[in-house]
Amino acid sequence: MQFAAYVFDAYGTLFDVHAAVRRHADQIGPDGQLLSDIWRAKQLEYSWVRTLMGAYADFWQLTEQALDFALRKVPSADAGLKAKLLEAYWRLDCYPEVPAVLKALKASGARLAILSNGSPEMLEAAVKSAALDQVLDDVFSVDSVRRFKTDPSVYDMVTTGWRLYPDAVSFQSSNRWDIAGATKFGFRTVWINRANQPEEYRDFPPALILPSLEGLVAGG
C-alpha cells in the first residue's frame, strides 16, 4: 500500500545509537555495551522527564548529560573518552538497508522526512554523514515545539507542515513507545523491531511489525 508520506524516527531507526561506543570499543573494554545501553536509556529518560516538567533542554544537552551519568555508572570505562564518544555521536552509522529503502520509496513518488527528538544540528550532521540529504524532503526536529516525543505537538509538526491528514502518513520507529504515541495521534505506524523486543502498549498497536526497513519496499 502506497502512502503520501513516509516519516522516520532517526535514532535507533535510521541511525545506530550504539555505533559511537562500538567505534571505541577497544579502548572502553568489556563493559562497552553496558555503557551504551545506560547512555541511551538515560538520554530518553531525560527527554520524558523534561517534557513532563515543562523544562526543555535540547537533545544534545541531554545526550551529554546521559553520557556523564553512564560513565559514572560504569567506572571501568575511561571517562577520558567522553569527548571522543560525543564526537562519534555526530557521525552515527546508518543501518545497512537504509539508503536503498529510502531511495526506493522516493522513486515511488512518496515524500520522505525524519521526525526526531534530535536537535537540528545533530540531525543535519547525521543526515549528511550518511549521505541521506539527497533523498529526504524534510527533517522535523522537536526543537521547533520544545517538547519531546510522545507529546502530540511533535507528530502534529508533520501534518501541519505538509498539510496532510494523519492517516496519509506512514510513520516508522524502532521505539515501541514512539509507535504508541504516533498511533494515538492517528498515523499509520510501523514498528521496526530490530532488537526483537516483546510487544507492549497493546492498546496502541502498530499496523505492521518488521525486523528492518526492508519490508517497506516489499509492500509494507
Side-chain angles (χ1 to χ4, degrees):
M1 183 177 179
Q2 180 66 37
F3 287 81
Y6 288 81
V7 177
F8 300 85
D9 168 61
Y11 298 110
T13 304
L14 299 181
F15 306 113
D16 183 353
V17 295
H18 299 294
V21 169
R22 198 163 53 243
R23 199 167 295 170
H24 298 287
D26 56 333
Q27 295 174 273
I28 294 170
D31 291 329
Q33 189 58 56
L34 175 62
L35 178 75
S36 194
D37 289 343
I38 294 172
W39 187 6
R40 175 60 171 169
K42 282 295 175 179
Q43 180 194 50
L44 294 174
E45 178 189 324
Y46 294 165
S47 74
W48 299 327
V49 171
R50 282 187 169 272
T51 294
L52 288 169
M53 291 194 303
Y56 180 80
D58 75 45
F59 204 56
W60 183 246
Q61 279 186 261
L62 305 190
T63 299
E64 184 172 0
Q65 291 169 6
L67 178 56
D68 286 337
F69 177 87
L71 288 168
R72 291 193 299 270
K73 189 73 173 176
V74 186
S76 62
D78 180 5
L81 292 171
K82 176 182 173 180
K84 287 184 177 180
L85 291 169
L86 289 174
E87 173 61 27
Y89 210 93
W90 288 88
R91 298 174 288 105
L92 293 175
D93 300 330
C94 70
Y95 289 99
E97 82 279 10
V98 167
V101 169
L102 266 58
K103 286 177 183 175
L105 292 173
K106 182 74 171 177
S108 75
R111 299 173 77 178
L112 306 182
I114 283 174
L115 175 64
S116 174
N117 279 341
S119 70
E121 295 80 11
M122 290 175 71
L123 294 170
E124 180 181 10
V127 166
K128 286 185 176 179
S129 178
L132 300 181
D133 47 323
Q134 299 302 311
V135 293
L136 291 168
D137 295 292
D138 218 334
V139 177
F140 295 96
S141 166
V142 300
D143 208 54
S144 297
V145 294
R146 299 179 66 81
R147 298 183 71 80
F148 292 104
K149 297 175 180 176
T150 56
D151 191 279
S153 63
V154 174
Y155 307 106
D156 186 59
M157 286 194 293
V158 175
T159 52
T160 298
W162 280 2
R163 298 189 177 186
L164 292 172
Y165 289 110
D167 60 7
V169 176
S170 180
F171 178 74
Q172 290 65 228
S173 179
S174 65
N175 301 300
R176 185 61 182 88
W177 51 268
D178 191 12
I179 288 296
T183 298
K184 183 176 186 299
F185 182 76
F187 286 161
R188 180 264 198 171
T189 56
V190 181
W191 180 24
I192 308 302
N193 189 8
R194 295 187 182 278
N196 194 30
Q197 293 294 309
E199 171 65 309
E200 54 184 336
Y201 304 106
R202 292 183 181 275
D203 47 341
F204 299 107
L208 190 63
I209 302 173
L210 296 172
S212 77
L213 291 171
E214 289 177 319
L216 291 175
V217 177

